[in-house]
Amino acid sequence: MIWNETIECMNRKDMRKLQSIRLKKVVEHVYHNTPFYRKKMQEMGITPDDIESVEDISKLPFTTKQDLRDNYPFGLMAVPMSEVVRLHASSGTTGKPIVVGYTRKDLSLWSESVARCLYAYGLSKEDIVQVSYGYGLFTGGLGLHDGVQKIGGTVIPMSSGNTQKQIQLMHDFGAKALACTPSYALFLAETIKDSGIPREEFQLKVGIFGAEPWTENMRKEIEEAMGIKAYDIYGLTEIAGPGVGCECEYQDGTHLWEDHFLPEIIDPETLEPLPAGQQGELVFTTITKEGMPMIRYRTRDLTSLNYETCCCGRTAVRMSRIMGRSDDMLIIRGVNVFPSQVESVILELPEFEPHYLIFVDRINNVDAFQVQVEVKPEFYSDEITKILDLKKRITDRLQSVIGLQPDVKIVEPRSIERSLGKAKRVFDNRKLV
C-alpha cells in the first residue's frame, strides 16, 4: 500500500525541482531567522541568492551535534517560542541534551511521514498498533502515536517497561503491530515464551523497530521468535524522530522521504560529496521544517544511497542498512571494529542468544578487547570442554570477520541485563583514563 503516491512515486526530475524550491525557501528562512546560520553563511561569503537548486547544497555549511549543544536550549529556533507547540530532546546521558522545537505544521508533516511508513508496512485504519517506544522527550513514542492516528488506526500507548502488562494487553487487545527498539522486542519475545500463552493466540503480524542499530541476523531472530515480519524505521531526534524513512514490503533498503529530508553522502574525512552507491556519512537538510530546520546535519551514520526505482513502485531514494556510525567505530590495536560486525557473527551462530556486551580497555599500554555473549540454555553445559569448544568457534569466527582476536567470555543464559529502550552494549573504558 502507498499512502501518498504523488510524492512517493514522483519522477526524479520533478523531485529535484521540488527539492530545489524548498531548499531555497528554507535557506532564506534560517538566514533571516537563525543568527547561528546567518553568521556561518556570512563567514563563508554566502547569501540565500547563491542557492538556486539542490546542486548548490555543497556551498552551505555543515551542522554538527556540538552546534546543537553549544546553542542549548533554543538558540537554533527559527520561529518565536510562541509558535513552538512541542519540544523533544535526545536521550543522551552525558552532557546537555539535544533540544528540538516543532510548530503545528512541523508536527503535521512528521505524522504524514510516519503514515507513509505505516502504509508501507501494510497497516491501515483497521489495525491496532502497540507503541512501546518511550513517551516523553524521546521522539519514538509520540512520533509513532501521531502517525497511527494519522492513518486512522488504533493506538495502544504503552510506552516502554512493565513487560508483563505489555504482553497481557498485546494479547487481549489484539495488537497487529508492535513498535519498539529491536533489543526490547527480543526481551518481549522471551517473555511471551515464558508467559505460557501460546504464540498462536497473538494477532501480532508486524514489527516496527528502530532507535538503535540492528543487523539482518537480528531481524531473522526476531521474526522467528515472534512469528512476525520485522521492518526498520529510521529517524533521529535532530531531524524528525521516527519516520524520516522506512522499509517497504521488499525490504531492499530504507526509503527516505526526500521531499522533507534532503539526503547527501559525504566522505567523513574530507567532507566532500560522494556519488550515488558509494558508502559514506549520511547528511540531511530539512527542507520543510519551520521550528528548527537543520542545514546539512552530519548524522555520523555510515551508509549509501540508491536512486533506482524500487520493486514496490516507489521512486523515493533508498538507504542501505547502516553499518555503523563514524563516531561509534572502535579502533582497537589499529583495527577498525564496528559493534554491528560483532552482532552479525553472534546471530549467525545458533548456539548463542542475541545478547552481548563489548568491553575495551587499555592494560599495560595494550588494547584489551573482550566480548561477553550468552549461550542458549540448550547449549549451556557445566562441562569445560563443551564451553571451550563454543568459545573457540565464536572466537575464530570473530577473528575471521573483524581481523582481530577478542577475549570471548561465554556467560550463562539470561545473565546479561535486558534493555527496555536503547541497548547499551559497548563500554570503552579507554576514554575514562
Side-chain angles (χ1 to χ4, degrees):
M1 300 192 301
I2 298 178
W3 172 259
N4 188 336
E5 188 170 352
T6 301
I7 292 292
E8 296 176 54
C9 301
M10 182 178 284
N11 68 60
R12 182 55 41 194
K13 182 180 177 181
D14 288 344
M15 177 59 72
R16 298 299 273 182
K17 184 177 179 180
L18 177 63
Q19 290 172 333
S20 295
I21 293 169
R22 290 179 170 179
L23 175 64
K24 185 169 179 61
K25 185 176 179 180
V26 79
V27 169
E28 290 173 348
H29 181 49
V30 297
Y31 187 85
H32 295 296
N33 296 287
T34 310
F36 168 80
Y37 282 121
R38 183 165 60 251
K39 182 182 177 184
K40 278 234 180 189
M41 290 174 67
Q42 287 174 343
E43 288 173 349
M44 298 173 72
I46 302 167
T47 71
D49 291 337
D50 294 312
I51 308 302
E52 293 294 336
S53 71
V54 289
E55 279 69 35
D56 296 320
I57 196 167
S58 60
K59 298 177 182 178
L60 293 168
F62 289 104
T63 309
T64 67
K65 184 168 286 190
Q66 190 57 49
D67 291 328
L68 275 73
R69 291 198 176 104
D70 291 344
N71 287 276
Y72 173 89
F74 306 137
L76 291 182
M77 297 297 176
V79 297
M81 287 304 294
S82 59
E83 295 181 27
V84 174
V85 298
R86 189 192 293 173
L87 293 172
H88 278 287
S90 66
S91 55
T93 56
T94 59
K96 293 177 179 177
I98 302 304
V99 179
V100 181
Y102 293 82
T103 64
R104 289 190 185 280
K105 181 182 176 184
D106 291 338
L107 291 179
S108 177
L109 293 178
W110 184 10
S111 63
E112 155 75 16
S113 297
V114 178
R116 296 179 193 178
C117 298
L118 298 174
Y119 257 54
Y121 305 145
L123 300 172
S124 71
K125 65 180 182 179
E126 307 295 332
D127 297 314
I128 299 172
V129 181
Q130 183 157 320
V131 178
S132 299
Y133 285 111
Y135 279 65
L137 288 174
F138 175 56
T139 56
L142 286 169
L144 261 297
H145 184 113
D146 289 350
V148 176
Q149 289 188 329
K150 181 79 171 179
I151 67 169
T154 303
V155 185
I156 308 174
M158 282 300 302
S159 194
S160 57
N162 203 346
T163 304
Q164 293 296 335
K165 192 171 185 180
Q166 295 266 4
I167 301 303
Q168 179 83 46
L169 297 189
M170 186 190 301
H171 174 268
D172 295 350
F173 291 177
K176 181 177 178 180
L178 167 69
C180 64
T181 62
S183 54
Y184 190 45
L186 285 168
F187 185 33
L188 286 170
E190 281 185 352
T191 308
I192 289 173
K193 188 177 180 180
D194 294 342
S195 70
I197 305 174
R199 196 178 75 178
E200 296 73 28
E201 290 187 10
F202 289 84
Q203 296 183 42
L204 206 61
K205 302 295 181 187
V206 173
I208 306 167
F209 305 130
E212 63 185 16
W214 55 308
T215 60
E216 279 299 319
N217 285 335
M218 193 170 185
R219 186 208 300 272
K220 293 172 185 173
E221 185 87 16
I222 294 171
E223 289 183 335
E224 185 176 333
M226 302 192 83
I228 62 173
K229 190 161 185 179
Y231 293 96
D232 191 28
I233 190 165
Y234 179 75
L236 56 165
T237 299
E238 302 88 331
I239 302 302
V244 172
C246 67
E247 293 179 309
C248 64
E249 65 268 32
Y250 290 95
Q251 296 180 317
D252 186 21
T254 296
H255 289 282
L256 299 176
W257 307 132
E258 54 182 319
D259 57 313
H260 298 306
F261 317 107
L262 179 60
E264 301 174 76
I265 298 293
I266 65 166
D267 184 312
E269 299 298 329
T270 68
L271 306 186
E272 291 298 316
L274 295 174
Q278 194 163 333
Q279 184 174 278
E281 180 183 334
L282 181 63
V283 171
F284 278 116
T285 298
T286 58
I287 53 178
T288 54
K289 283 185 80 172
E290 296 179 329
M292 193 173 142
M294 288 283 101
I295 304 297
R296 302 193 81 193
Y297 181 75
R298 296 185 60 185
T299 68
R300 301 290 183 175
D301 289 333
L302 298 174
T303 184
S304 61
L305 298 178
N306 179 358
Y307 287 91
E308 295 179 3
T309 301
C310 182
C311 294
C312 70
R314 292 176 179 86
T315 55
V317 63
R318 281 173 288 156
M319 173 181 75
S320 65
R321 182 170 283 276
I322 293 168
M323 73 158 291
R325 290 173 55 84
S326 60
D327 55 354
D328 280 353
M329 181 181 72
L330 297 163
I331 301 177
I332 306 172
R333 300 173 214 156
V335 177
N336 296 343
V337 177
F338 289 97
S340 59
Q341 294 174 303
V342 175
E343 180 178 292
S344 179
V345 169
I346 291 169
L347 289 171
E348 74 180 36
L349 299 176
E351 297 91 347
F352 299 100
E353 298 281 11
H355 302 289
Y356 64 94
L357 297 172
I358 297 172
F359 295 92
V360 185
D361 210 335
R362 183 153 296 167
I363 300 172
N364 297 325
N365 295 318
V366 176
D367 288 338
F369 174 31
Q370 184 185 80
V371 176
Q372 294 186 9
V373 58
E374 276 189 21
V375 67
K376 289 182 178 178
E378 59 267 33
F379 293 102
Y380 187 72
S381 172
D382 290 333
E383 295 181 33
I384 295 177
T385 304
K386 290 184 178 180
I387 294 298
L388 288 177
D389 286 344
L390 283 177
K391 179 176 178 177
K392 184 178 187 308
R393 186 173 179 216
I394 191 170
T395 300
D396 289 348
R397 182 61 182 142
L398 283 168
Q399 183 171 18
S400 171
V401 170
I402 299 170
L404 194 68
Q405 181 173 310
D407 170 26
V408 174
K409 183 178 180 182
I410 308 292
V411 299
E412 295 180 14
R414 309 252 174 139
S415 61
I416 292 177
E417 185 178 357
R418 301 310 191 240
S419 172
L420 303 185
K422 290 187 179 183
K424 181 172 175 57
R425 297 189 176 98
V426 181
F427 300 85
D428 190 346
N429 297 318
R430 297 173 300 179
K431 299 173 184 176
L432 305 179
V433 178

